Amino acid sequence: MPISPFAIIVLAILVLAIVVIFMGVKSVPQGREWTVERFGRYTRTLRPGLNLIVPFVDQIGAKLSMMETVLEVPQQEIITRDNAMVTVDGVIFYQVLDAAKAAYEVGSLETAIINLTMTNIRTVMGSMDLDELLSNRDQINVKLMKVVDDATEPWGVKVTRIEIRDITPPRDLVESMGRQMKAERDRRATILEAEGTRQAQILRAEGLKQAAILEAEGRREAAFRDAEARERSAEAEAKATGMVSEAIANGSVQALNYFVATKYVDSLKAMASAPNHKVLFLPLDAANVIGAIGGIAEIAREAFGRDGAPPTALPPRRPPADPAAPAPEGGPWGPKA
């Protein structure tokens, strides 16, 4: 059966309607924004989701990513303020905030950001010394981010972070820095060793001083004790001498014998115990020693009495003989036997 012209027209209108609907409906993925141009002029921005445009009148201009993007900054050589040449590279993180500005304010957004970053890296790092460059990387990142962010603001871009990745000095400069670091550490080690020796000497001197003080205090205490002992010994000696003198005054000659015998025996004991006397020859008037012992026994008998009897009174003292009188026969001890 042949198709009528009306059916062909209806079918063509149906196909055209499908094409128009397909051209007018746009689905924007998440994280992206599309610009719409009408007769070549920007009109609006399509957000993520389902959007409608006028077919044959409106068309999609630029498709931009609104997510944070990472760009690598190529290596470049930089001359520092102290004329040291280093090789630097890094990364930059940015995010598009305004799709229309990012699409129509700058021709090639990524190329513009990379070149702007490289230029400011040379400016910021070239104004610093090598030592500052190596030790103040955080400050460099902050300065770069502020400068680049201010420069890219008219483009609808927000620079979130700039990181200097590598700073590579020349090999000879690295070797010089290594020698300098070694010398600095040797110097610090020498200083620390000298400080340790000084502290040890101070502590040793303090210890010797304290020991000397304690030793002096010990000697003073020992001298005080020795003096006290000698004083007490002298008191005892004086007391004993007084008692002997009193006994002699009362007519007891045996007390004097006891005193002399005690000193005699003590002298023999000291002679026998001397380290340089290995042999002691006797008799050393042994009769005197025996007589001294006999005197001690006589004193005991007089003190306690013979056979338990009470002690008798001492014989009266003889009056001193007249030196002018003639001596009796036999001498002062009576007539000869």
Side-chain angles (χ1 to χ4, degrees), residues 124-197:
V124 173
M125 299 181 70
S127 62
M128 303 174 67
D129 294 334
L130 180 61
D131 293 337
E132 295 178 355
L133 202 67
L134 297 175
S135 59
N136 298 326
R137 188 172 297 188
D138 292 338
Q139 296 181 6
I140 297 173
N141 295 335
V142 171
K143 290 182 180 180
L144 283 174
M145 188 182 69
K146 185 178 184 306
V147 173
V148 176
D149 184 42
D150 292 341
T152 57
E153 185 178 0
W155 302 342
V157 175
K158 173 65 177 177
V159 177
T160 58
R161 184 179 301 176
I162 295 179
E163 295 289 340
I164 298 300
R165 188 163 53 186
D166 290 325
I167 300 177
T168 307
R171 183 176 298 275
D172 56 348
L173 187 58
V174 172
E175 293 177 356
S176 299
M177 292 171 61
R179 291 193 299 270
Q180 180 182 1
M181 181 181 62
K182 183 177 182 301
E184 179 66 21
R185 292 190 176 183
D186 291 341
R187 184 183 68 85
R188 292 182 181 179
T190 304
I191 293 174
L192 291 177
E193 185 177 358
E195 287 290 336
T197 303

Side-chain angles (χ1 to χ4, degrees), residues 28 36 50 55 57 61 76 80 83 88-90 97 135 141 189 196 212 234 255 261:
V28 180
V36 178
L50 189 63
V57 177
Q76 59 177 332
T80 61
N83 297 324
V88 181
D89 64 352
L97 301 180
S135 59
N141 295 335

Side-chain angles (χ1 to χ4, degrees), residues 24 36 46 70 77 88 103-104 109 118 227 242 247-249 254 272 282 287 311 317:
V36 178
L46 301 182
V70 181
E77 292 183 349
V88 181
Y104 302 110
L109 180 62
M118 293 178 65
I248 293 173
Q254 299 298 333
L282 292 176
R317 297 180 61 185

Side-chain angles (χ1 to χ4, degrees), residues 192-261:
L192 291 177
E193 185 177 358
E195 287 290 336
T197 303
R198 172 176 172 272
Q199 190 67 21
Q201 291 177 353
I202 291 174
L203 293 177
R204 189 179 297 109
E206 288 290 338
L208 293 176
K209 173 185 174 183
Q210 191 68 22
I213 292 174
L214 293 176
E215 185 179 358
E217 291 180 354
R219 288 197 303 269
R220 185 185 67 177
E221 185 68 19
F224 177 76
R225 298 295 183 185
D226 291 341
E228 185 178 2
R230 288 193 300 271
E231 182 181 356
R232 292 186 179 181
S233 177
E235 290 178 358
E237 187 74 19
K239 186 175 181 181
T241 304
M243 293 176 65
V244 171
S245 299
E246 184 179 357
I248 293 173
N250 293 332
S252 177
V253 184
Q254 299 298 333
L256 181 60
N257 292 335
Y258 171 76
F259 186 75
V260 174

Side-chain angles (χ1 to χ4, degrees), residues 18-72:
I18 294 174
V19 172
V20 170
I21 293 173
F22 181 77
M23 294 178 61
V25 177
K26 300 295 181 181
S27 177
V28 180
Q30 183 65 37
R32 293 183 174 273
E33 290 185 0
W34 296 354
T35 60
V36 178
E37 298 175 356
R38 178 171 296 177
F39 301 113
R41 181 180 179 182
Y42 167 78
T43 56
R44 60 194 179 96
T45 302
L46 301 182
R47 307 295 178 183
L50 189 63
N51 297 272
L52 298 175
I53 62 174
V54 178
F56 305 109
V57 177
D58 296 336
Q59 62 179 358
I60 302 300
K63 298 180 180 180
L64 300 175
S65 174
M66 308 302 293
M67 297 180 291
E68 189 171 1
T69 307
V70 181
L71 291 177
E72 290 191 2

Side-chain angles (χ1 to χ4, degrees), residues 263-274 280:
K263 294 296 183 181
Y264 194 81
V265 172
D266 290 340
S267 299
L268 288 178
K269 182 174 66 175
M271 292 174 61
S273 61
L280 184 65

